Amino acid sequence: CTGMPSPRLCDAYHWAELTAPTITGIFFVFQPIVSEIFSTYAFDCVSFDGDPRSGVSRFRQNLELVCGEGVHKEVIAWSIAGLVVWSFGIPVLLLLCICCV
């Protein structure tokens, strides 16, 4: 490894050893924020008729959309997928990275 500032940074193992704690900290700071965005964005419906069980609920970000129908179903599906990947997948991946490094 010529030209490197430190001979320890020549291989991927040493790079991972140095960057894993920083990346893990960053992900654990953003993990609750992103999880909250996924959960509140998809399930943020409002009813204008008083009782949400009897009236039609509308999607708060776009009041033209009826909750649970059409495009909103896609938003719910993407949000659930994001919650599964981000809220469970990323912490498991980081745990595996920490255990392996």
Side-chain angles (χ1 to χ4, degrees):
C1 253
T2 58
M4 293 295 289
S6 172
R8 286 191 60 209
L9 301 178
C10 289
D11 58 1
Y13 176 80
H14 287 106
W15 275 103
E17 188 178 53
L18 291 174
T19 59
T22 304
I23 292 171
T24 302
I26 290 170
F27 272 115
F28 278 113
V29 166
F30 285 111
Q31 193 269 342
I33 297 167
V34 174
S35 296
E36 182 180 352
I37 289 169
F38 277 127
S39 62
T40 57
Y41 184 73
F43 306 107
D44 193 15
C45 294
V46 63
S47 176
F48 295 106
D49 296 334
D51 187 13
R53 292 174 291 184
S54 64
V56 174
S57 294
R58 300 284 180 169
F59 190 46
R60 189 180 301 264
Q61 281 77 21
N62 184 354
L63 294 175
E64 294 177 2
L65 297 177
V66 177
C67 286
E69 295 180 5
V71 176
H72 188 250
K73 281 186 178 181
E74 293 179 28
V75 171
I76 291 173
W78 280 107
S79 292
I80 290 172
L83 279 170
V84 168
V85 169
W86 189 265
S87 296
F88 302 109
I90 297 293
V92 168
L93 178 68
L94 293 174
L95 177 67
L96 292 174
C97 287
I98 290 172
C99 290
C100 293
V101 171

